[in-house]
């Protein structure tokens, strides 16, 4: 029987800047526990299976690991205070107020296991991606915290005229968080967007929102993409080059970038977030075909 571990840290989603879910049994978590509280004033919307609510009202959320890390069966679930599983993609609110957003860490900085929300599994837990039945790892560590914005979706039926007509990649929007602290799998951070890159991966548009945790000591210094170059010199180029080249060791071509091969500014990033949040809303209302995606 697969091992199950329930993280004892509980949170209310919404106010504090970051939440750490930790387990001594998992290499993905630190050996000590810490909890911080969140509040959220989002209205509760009832849902049935197959339709996701816009946000849960002040839920207490725990992390529940099932299986052993770095195995095919390993999953990181989110559960509420009653023990019911909830979806990090659909049930964690996107907005937290004051221009900040919730960001869920899938891959901590300086790690290589390719963890991701399983968009085709019920309650969309975080798992390690696979290829041909084998666990996937990047060829080298990623140098920033990497994960997703909940309640966003890149619509694969929408051709973006501003990015070479590329269609969405059918996933939530990715975030590259440039702060100094290393996150943990399943950690929830409050971040502010600073810019974005329009990566084109095998013909699909795969937005990378560049953001920083509001807990970072330098967060107040950076408010737009030009500030990143000033206070984090070389970071924008390093992010672009990392995502351009990471598939090359596997014999695949380099990825391309739209928008002049440069990072767009904060306003453009906010536009991307708004549009993909609207696409997600259509998805969960079934105005757009879901295909194999889980809406629970």
């Amino acid at each position: 029987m697969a091992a199950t571990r329930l993280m004892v840290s509980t949170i209310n989603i919404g106010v504090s800047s970051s939440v750490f879910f930790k387990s001594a049994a998992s290499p993905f978590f630190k050996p000590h526990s810490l909890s911080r509280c969140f509040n959220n004033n989002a209205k509760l919307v009832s849902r049935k299976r197959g339709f996701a609510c816009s946000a849960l009202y002040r839920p207490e959320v725990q992390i529940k690991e099932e299986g052993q890390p770095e195995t095919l069966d390993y999953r990181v679930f989110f559960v509420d205070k009653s023990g019911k599983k909830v979806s990090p993609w659909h049930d964690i609110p996107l907005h937290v107020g004051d221009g900040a957003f919730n960001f869920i860490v899938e891959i901590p900085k300086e790690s290589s296991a390719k963890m991701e929300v399983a968009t085709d599994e019920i309650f969309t837990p975080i798992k390690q991606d696979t290829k041909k039945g084998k666990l996937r790892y990047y060829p080298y560590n990623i140098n920033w915290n990497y994960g997703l914005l909940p309640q966003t979706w890149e619509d694969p039926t929408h051709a973006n005229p501003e990015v070479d007509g590329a269609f969405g990649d059918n996933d939530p929007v990715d975030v590259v968080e440039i702060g100094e602290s290393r996150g943990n799998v399943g950690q929830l951070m409050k971040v502010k967007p600073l810019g974005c890159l329009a990566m084109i991966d095998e013909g699909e548009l795969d937005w990378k929102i560049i953001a920083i945790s509001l807990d970072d000591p330098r967060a107040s210094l950076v408010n737009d993409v030009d500030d990143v170059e000033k206070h984090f010199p070389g970071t924008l180029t390093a992010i672009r080059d990392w995502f351009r080249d990471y598939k090359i060791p596997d014999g695949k071509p380099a990825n391309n970038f739209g928008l002049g091969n440069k990072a767009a500014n904060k306003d453009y990033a906010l536009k991307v977030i708004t549009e993909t949040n609207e696409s997600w809303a259509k998805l969960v209302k079934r105005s757009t075909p879901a295909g194999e995606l889980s809406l629970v």
Side-chain angles (χ1 to χ4, degrees):
M1 181 179 295
T4 299
R5 293 176 297 282
L6 182 65
M7 305 303 101
V8 296
S9 300
T10 61
I11 64 167
N12 285 335
I13 297 172
V15 166
S16 173
S17 300
S18 65
V19 174
F20 299 81
F21 306 112
K22 311 193 176 189
S23 166
S26 169
F28 296 105
F29 297 90
K30 302 289 185 181
H32 60 279
S33 64
L34 169 67
S35 65
R36 299 182 183 178
C37 290
F38 280 75
N39 290 318
N40 176 55
N41 295 321
K43 182 180 179 181
L44 176 65
V45 180
S46 63
R47 74 171 187 172
K48 298 178 181 179
R49 180 172 179 174
F51 183 79
C53 62
S54 61
L56 293 177
Y57 179 70
R58 300 184 66 182
E60 291 183 351
V61 178
Q62 297 177 324
I63 289 299
K64 181 181 180 183
E65 292 181 276
E66 295 185 1
Q68 295 295 324
E70 299 188 79
T71 67
L72 295 174
D73 296 330
Y74 181 65
R75 298 292 186 274
V76 177
F77 285 96
F78 288 60
V79 299
D80 66 18
K81 62 181 179 181
S82 71
K84 178 185 176 183
K85 291 177 179 176
V86 297
S87 166
W89 180 20
H90 300 308
D91 294 328
I92 302 296
L94 171 62
H95 298 274
V96 293
D98 298 324
F101 300 87
N102 276 323
F103 158 58
I104 301 167
V105 178
E106 295 169 304
I107 306 173
K109 68 187 297 185
E110 305 308 332
S111 66
S112 64
K114 194 175 185 304
M115 308 298 294
E116 63 179 19
V117 162
T119 58
D120 60 348
E121 296 184 13
I122 188 168
F123 300 118
T124 63
I126 297 175
K127 70 172 186 178
Q128 189 167 351
D129 191 23
T130 60
K131 183 177 181 181
K132 297 181 179 179
K134 295 183 178 181
L135 297 172
R136 288 188 65 188
Y137 294 86
Y138 289 125
Y140 32 73
N141 285 351
I142 190 166
N143 306 125
W144 312 273
N145 294 312
Y146 187 56
L148 74 142
L149 288 177
Q151 300 186 341
T152 61
W153 179 57
E154 299 192 47
D155 186 349
T157 69
H158 174 67
N160 192 311
E162 298 177 6
V163 190
D164 304 327
F167 292 86
D169 71 349
N170 203 32
D171 282 323
V173 170
D174 297 328
V175 174
V176 182
E177 193 276 319
I178 64 172
E180 67 181 25
S181 296
R182 183 180 188 271
N184 300 293
V185 177
Q187 180 176 340
L188 189 64
M189 292 184 181
K190 183 192 286 187
V191 300
K192 61 179 176 180
L194 305 170
C196 63
L197 287 163
M199 191 176 89
I200 302 174
D201 182 357
E202 299 183 10
E204 295 181 335
L205 180 56
D206 188 2
W207 289 108
K208 307 298 180 189
I209 302 296
I210 300 163
I212 190 167
S213 168
L214 295 189
D215 278 345
D216 192 83
R218 290 185 283 178
S220 64
L221 301 177
V222 286
N223 294 292
D224 212 324
V225 70
D226 291 338
D227 298 328
V228 177
E229 194 58 41
K230 180 179 179 180
H231 296 285
F232 295 79
T235 295
L236 295 174
T237 298
I239 292 171
R240 184 197 63 199
D241 291 354
W242 195 98
F243 283 100
R244 181 193 65 197
D245 298 339
Y246 79 91
K247 290 186 176 181
I248 292 177
D250 292 330
K252 293 187 176 182
N255 290 318
N256 299 314
F257 291 86
L259 304 180
N261 207 39
K262 297 180 180 179
N265 64 17
K266 177 178 181 177
D267 285 343
Y268 202 100
L270 291 173
K271 173 188 172 187
V272 169
I273 294 170
T274 297
E275 290 176 350
T276 54
N277 177 237
E278 291 172 350
S279 294
W280 169 84
K282 293 177 182 177
L283 175 70
V284 297
K285 292 176 182 176
R286 297 188 179 273
S287 299
T288 302
E292 296 182 356
L293 297 175
S294 172
L295 301 184
V296 177

